[in-house]
Amino acid sequence: MNYQLLLECYASGIDIDALEVELLELELSSQIKSITVSSSQGCLEIAPDHICNASFVCNGSIWITCLAAVLDKLNPPAIGTKARGAHVFDVLVSNGYLLAN
């Protein structure tokens, strides 16, 4: 199933089950790996405002940021472990997609 469709479901209030969370985790991992090789990934496109709002990220954020934020909410990282959102931010900065201040 397409991760964007799952995020659309999440934004509309439909619960995401454990198997779907696992699929989203695999998708995030795959996207992080592919970002280091190619800038033509769909995950680098701007997500619609309703997805950003449901993910509690700023409007105009990219899909991978929304995905990481939703996963952090659905399956919080263990204490002492970096949040997925923070990890994605680091990957985007290190690959030149964002500028850190």
Side-chain angles (χ1 to χ4, degrees):
M1 176 175 272
N2 182 308
Y3 80 96
Q4 291 175 334
L5 181 58
L6 283 174
L7 291 183
E8 287 283 355
C9 291
Y10 177 81
S12 68
I14 298 171
D15 288 335
I16 304 291
D17 67 29
L19 180 57
E20 292 166 330
V21 170
E22 281 186 50
L23 291 171
L24 290 175
E25 293 280 8
L26 290 171
E27 180 63 31
L28 180 63
S29 177
S30 173
Q31 287 183 11
I32 288 171
K33 288 176 185 170
S34 64
I35 280 176
T36 62
V37 214
S38 172
S39 63
S40 64
Q41 303 300 315
C43 64
L44 296 173
E45 295 175 5
I46 303 295
D49 287 349
H50 70 283
I51 298 294
C52 294
N53 293 335
S55 305
F56 295 101
V57 298
C58 297
N59 287 347
S61 294
I62 57 178
W63 278 100
I64 193 171
T65 304
C66 297
L67 174 57
V70 167
L71 283 169
D72 281 337
K73 183 173 184 212
L74 293 174
N75 188 17
I79 295 174
T81 304
K82 185 181 270 191
R84 291 165 198 83
H87 178 66
V88 164
F89 179 81
D90 291 346
V91 170
L92 292 170
V93 169
S94 68
N95 285 282
Y97 296 110
L98 296 176
L99 299 175
N101 290 338

